[in-house]
Amino acid sequence: MEQYPHQPPDPPSRDGPGQGNAHGHGTGAGGHHGHAHGHGPREGGHHGHGHGHGPAAPVSQHLRKVIAAILIPFTVAVVVGLAVLWPGGAPPHSRTGVGFDRQTQQATVIRVTEVSCASVNASGGAPAGAPSATGGAPAKQEAGKTCKKATVRVDTGEDTGRTFTEIVQPDQTRQLHRDQKVVVAYEPSAPKNLQYSVTDVNRTFPMALLAGIFAVAVVVVGRLRGLMALVALAVSFLVLTLFILPAILQGSDPLVVAVVGASAIMLIALYMCHGLSARTSVAVLGTLISLSLIGLLGSLFIGWSALTGNTDDNTGLIHGLYPSIDMSGLLLAGVIIGSLGVLDDVTVTQTSAVWELHEANPAMGWRGLYRAAIRIGRDHIASVVNTLVLAYAGAALPLLLLFSIAQSSVGTVADSELVAEEIVRTLVGSIGLVASVPVTTALAALVVSADRSGAADPVPAGGRPAPARGGRGRRRKR
């Protein structure tokens, strides 16, 4: 083990070989590599504690108290908010039979035969001039063409084993085939031969397989950290489905519900994935400040732009079923929750960058740490903002294509509520992401540079650490 020239060797450690001396690096028996910054009194009056590469450098007790004084009341407020707003399930309502608000069952296509579209129309297989249950052109327009007649068996519900026929027009994008698993809608008030109709394909197996591949890839590459990320993801979905959605449906303010729910997800996910440490706490603070900015800007510009949040069939159905829901508040809640995932990535990355820079050069002051880490953050900003914009553009691609077909001007497209919603959502989220980089970087730099117990002398150009001094380490003034 390499020792400082003028410092006597440390007494044997119970931790075994591989432990370094104060602010020193060395390789011990067995190939272990370690270094130590010290806390407790040691021989020669040195302050030190041992740790290896990887864990975050501890901060002083005073800074821990400051961070705790901020985060503990915030955590308590989130828990109280969850308890007060907890819905206990979505409120019941009478089904309309429209869109997603339909009773559905699982079914299987057991037979498919080809028939004349004209004969189907003549025999009453499909009403004249009406589209089939799964979409397509009216049957009378398909005279002389070949349609498909699918026999479908209901596999779940009270009518298990019952069969019905489905006419598939030749121009339909979804063509049925034998042994295909499908989802069927059930309307009990309709005539018996029209109570069931195919609405979608059962995608359970391919979706489950893809999720399994994703989980295996995350665990294989991320190991324990990847496993904890999957657990945090599951908890996030539980908060979303058991708290956020039912609470909004019960009439609670969507913005308040989103803030409480997003805060709970943030606390659980960050601490579960990255551990209970000062480093994670700084990332939590940076995320919280950025989310507050997103909420403020979102509220301002959604109101200023007169965005109602009721722009398509799905939001119209929600408003029809639950008129008390504030749709503009629901839009703002979506902006906050949608920005949270990317914010976590940015704040954790910036905090880790500052901590690693401090580990590489403990004597660097907070200004040096900030300047070095912000250069990393600028690259992160460029990639994240581009990712966010393209993600929203990809989701709205069919809508943009319709405007292109209509040969609408850019100004007309941007001024429509459908597109204006996405613009506000994208820009507000991006502003929050951009702001999170300097905010989190400054917080992290201040925390690690204010820790006197972790400071050290600068490393000389020769690469060997300077001799450790007695007493408490000093911060180099910059």
Side-chain angles (χ1 to χ4, degrees):
M1 182 186 303
E2 182 181 4
Q3 297 288 340
Y4 297 132
H6 70 287
Q7 182 179 342
D10 292 335
S13 172
R14 288 180 296 176
D15 295 331
Q19 297 291 331
N21 59 330
H23 297 296
H25 294 260
T27 303
H32 297 292
H33 186 70
H35 70 273
H37 295 260
H39 258 0
R42 302 184 52 171
E43 289 188 1
H46 296 291
H47 255 52
H49 70 270
H51 69 86
H53 294 290
V59 297
S60 63
Q61 190 67 25
H62 174 69
L63 287 175
R64 289 176 182 270
K65 290 180 179 179
V66 172
I67 294 173
I70 298 173
L71 288 182
I72 289 178
F74 171 69
T75 303
V76 171
V78 171
V79 173
V80 171
L82 287 172
V84 171
L85 298 173
W86 193 265
H93 70 274
S94 300
R95 290 187 179 271
T96 63
V98 177
F100 290 103
D101 193 38
R102 293 180 288 187
Q103 298 184 44
T104 59
Q105 302 294 344
Q106 304 300 316
T108 304
V109 179
I110 58 176
R111 185 170 57 253
V112 177
T113 58
E114 293 186 350
V115 295
S116 169
C117 293
S119 66
V120 170
N121 186 32
S123 63
S132 67
T134 54
K140 70 177 184 179
Q141 297 178 3
E142 299 297 334
K145 296 186 178 180
T146 301
C147 295
K148 289 183 179 179
K149 182 179 180 181
T151 302
V152 184
R153 182 190 66 231
V154 180
D155 295 333
T156 59
E158 297 180 356
D159 292 330
T160 299
R162 176 178 168 180
T163 61
F164 66 95
T165 58
E166 181 84 10
I167 304 301
V168 183
Q169 303 293 338
D171 69 330
Q172 288 178 212
T173 55
R174 181 183 299 121
Q175 296 292 315
L176 302 179
H177 57 81
R178 186 177 177 180
D179 297 327
Q180 185 177 23
K181 300 294 184 180
V182 294
V183 179
V184 296
Y186 174 60
E187 178 50 61
S189 61
K192 189 169 184 179
N193 63 327
L194 298 177
Q195 287 181 336
Y196 284 95
S197 62
V198 176
T199 60
D200 209 344
V201 173
N202 187 329
R203 302 178 180 87
T204 302
F205 178 74
M207 298 295 286
L209 178 62
L210 182 60
I213 295 173
F214 164 74
V216 170
V218 170
V219 173
V220 168
V221 177
R223 299 187 180 180
L224 180 60
R225 187 67 60 85
L227 179 61
M228 296 307 295
L230 291 178
V231 175
L233 180 63
V235 173
S236 298
F237 274 106
L238 287 176
V239 173
L240 183 64
T241 56
L242 298 181
F243 171 70
I244 295 178
L245 299 180
I248 292 175
L249 290 178
Q250 281 201 342
S252 299
D253 189 321
L255 178 58
V256 175
V257 171
V259 169
V260 173
S263 300
I265 291 173
M266 174 185 66
L267 291 171
I268 294 171
L270 287 179
Y271 283 117
M272 186 174 290
C273 293
H274 305 285
L276 188 63
S277 65
R279 177 190 293 194
T280 308
S281 298
V282 171
V284 169
L285 287 174
T287 305
L288 178 61
I289 294 172
S290 303
L291 276 180
S292 301
L293 177 62
I294 289 174
L296 179 63
L297 289 177
S299 178
L300 175 63
F301 282 94
I302 286 175
W304 200 358
S305 304
L307 299 178
T308 64
N310 188 2
T311 54
D312 56 23
D313 293 340
N314 293 328
T315 53
L317 178 60
I318 293 171
H319 184 65
L321 294 174
Y322 299 96
S324 61
I325 293 180
D326 179 9
M327 299 304 295
S328 60
L330 186 62
L331 173 62
L332 179 57
V335 172
I336 293 174
I337 295 173
S339 302
L340 178 60
V342 188
L343 269 179
D344 287 351
D345 172 49
V346 173
T347 55
V348 168
T349 299
Q350 287 305 114
T351 306
S352 296
V354 172
W355 246 263
E356 293 303 323
L357 288 168
H358 177 68
E359 286 288 306
N361 185 4
M364 187 181 296
W366 81 267
R367 291 185 180 87
L369 287 171
Y370 179 83
R371 285 195 296 266
I374 204 68
R375 288 194 290 269
I376 301 173
R378 291 190 186 105
D379 291 336
H380 207 179
I381 287 173
S383 60
V384 167
V385 169
N386 192 48
T387 299
L388 192 64
V389 171
L390 291 179
Y392 284 126
L397 201 57
L399 175 64
L400 297 177
L401 186 60
L402 286 177
F403 280 108
S404 178
I405 293 172
Q407 297 182 349
S408 301
S409 65
V410 175
T412 302
V413 172
D415 201 46
S416 66
E417 185 170 2
L418 276 171
V419 177
E421 265 191 17
E422 299 303 325
I423 292 176
V424 170
R425 192 195 311 268
T426 301
L427 296 183
V428 167
S430 298
I431 291 171
L433 290 175
V434 171
S436 70
V437 172
V439 168
T440 308
T441 304
L443 285 174
L446 287 171
V447 168
V448 296
S449 63
D451 179 23
R452 291 180 178 271
S453 64
D457 295 320
V459 178
R464 293 175 56 88
R469 299 177 180 176
R472 299 180 63 86
R474 302 178 188 174
R475 289 177 294 172
R476 194 175 88 183
K477 296 183 180 180
R478 299 181 64 90

